[in-house]
Amino acid sequence: MALGTADEPVSLMVDLCLPALDHMTPLILSQVNRALARSDCAHLRDTVQIVLAEALNNVAEHAYRDLDQGAVAVRMGRRSGALQIELTDWGHALSDGTPPDGTLPNPTSLSEGGYGWFLIRALVSEIRYAREDGKNHLWLILNV
């Protein structure tokens, strides 16, 4: 599923490709935040910041584990009734070919982390994932 289709055009708001490094996340979040501030989706800014920060962290930490370097492409656009964010990376595929279920972890059994997919799933309307031609595509869709 590409960002938008012939039947459902998308108004592209952000189109970036940067190194998938933790220190690049604030730059990506800042550009996304500016684009949202100028749009009719400004009310989603906080939600998008949380969701995107978690997803970018997963790319840096898991998709490129044991790899020296990698990139992440971020495209965000508005289509009828939804804000759609597409992340593309060239790292390792998701286990089992699907995003984790996002079950709320037991807070007493974790020292740190483990809440990312729970937060993402709780805040978005729809998640889609595909592995094609050595690339991971993750679509995060929020109803407007």
Side-chain angles (χ1 to χ4, degrees):
M1 176 185 147
L3 190 65
T5 64
D7 300 350
E8 202 169 352
V10 68
S11 174
L12 192 61
M13 300 163 66
V14 172
D15 192 5
L16 305 167
C17 189
L18 295 166
L21 302 169
D22 288 335
H23 70 271
M24 296 303 292
T25 297
L27 173 65
I28 295 169
L29 294 176
S30 174
Q31 291 191 25
V32 166
N33 196 46
R34 277 196 301 274
L36 286 170
R38 297 185 304 263
S39 77
D40 66 341
C41 297
H43 63 286
L44 294 173
R45 288 164 57 191
D46 292 339
T47 300
V48 169
Q49 292 289 301
I50 294 167
V51 167
L52 193 52
E54 291 293 342
L56 289 168
N57 179 66
N58 286 340
V59 170
E61 187 176 329
H62 301 293
Y64 291 113
R65 72 182 179 280
D66 304 326
L67 299 175
D68 291 336
Q69 58 186 340
V72 61
V74 179
R75 297 181 82 201
M76 181 177 71
R78 176 78 162 79
R79 61 182 170 98
S80 63
L83 179 72
Q84 185 171 312
I85 302 165
E86 178 185 3
L87 299 179
T88 303
D89 70 72
W90 293 260
H92 299 292
L94 286 175
S95 299
D96 302 325
T98 185
D101 64 6
T103 304
L104 180 62
N106 180 347
T108 62
S109 67
L110 296 175
S111 60
E112 181 180 340
Y115 289 89
W117 280 108
F118 173 77
L119 286 171
I120 292 169
R121 287 193 179 275
L123 294 172
V124 302
S125 305
E126 183 180 353
I127 296 173
R128 296 183 187 172
Y129 171 76
R131 174 81 177 181
E132 298 171 346
D133 300 322
K135 294 183 278 191
N136 296 304
H137 299 277
L138 179 68
W139 294 273
L140 305 167
I141 301 159
L142 295 89
N143 289 337
V144 175

